[in-house]
């Protein structure tokens, strides 16, 4: 039973990693590089993009996972549309 749980956890982690990689690709497509060279994308640009809505079942969860891994950063704990559409998401 523990082996099955560990296998499921690894598969789940691989899925999260895959989604985070896709997120970074979409941020590159929709975002801009600042003077500091860091890629920035508005939350609203991601949430309202048709391609993103087709790729990500739960983009908010993917953003939180990427933030927890210190791959991206944004102000606050969680982003919700439309209240946070102007919040910058920065690739670290």
């Amino acid at each position: 039973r523990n082996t099955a749980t560990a296998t499921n956890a690894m598969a789940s982690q691989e899925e999260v990693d895959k989604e985070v990689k896709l997120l970074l690709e979409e941020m590159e497509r929709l975002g801009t590089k600042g003077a500091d060279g860091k890629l920035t994308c508005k939350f609203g640009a991601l949430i309202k993009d048709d391609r993103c809505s087709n790729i990500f079942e739960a983009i908010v969860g993917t953003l939180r996972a990427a933030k927890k891994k210190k791959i991206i950063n944004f102000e606050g704990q969680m982003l919700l549309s439309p209240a946070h559409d102007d919040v910058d998401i920065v690739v670290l």
Side-chain angles (χ1 to χ4, degrees):
R1 181 178 160 99
N2 286 343
T3 305
T5 302
T7 302
N8 287 343
M10 281 176 41
S12 177
Q13 187 58 51
E14 285 176 14
E15 189 62 31
V16 169
D17 291 345
K18 189 172 126 186
E19 291 232 339
V20 168
K21 185 174 180 271
L22 286 171
L23 173 68
L24 293 175
E25 290 173 9
E26 294 307 308
M27 286 183 65
E28 196 163 316
R29 180 175 65 85
L30 296 168
T32 56
K33 285 213 174 172
D36 59 2
K38 289 188 177 181
L39 178 64
T40 303
C41 184
K42 297 279 186 201
F43 176 65
L46 285 172
I47 219 70
K48 293 176 181 169
D49 183 72
D50 286 339
R51 186 165 151 183
C52 285
S53 63
N54 289 331
I55 294 172
F56 302 104
E57 285 185 35
I59 195 163
V60 171
T62 304
L63 288 166
R64 288 186 69 191
K67 183 177 182 178
K68 189 175 179 181
K69 292 175 172 242
K70 298 187 182 339
I71 295 169
I72 63 167
N73 195 25
F74 53 83
E75 201 171 302
Q77 293 298 311
M78 193 160 103
L79 300 174
L80 300 170
S81 186
H84 300 115
D85 283 358
D86 283 334
V87 172
D88 286 326
I89 303 166
V90 181
V91 178
L92 301 176

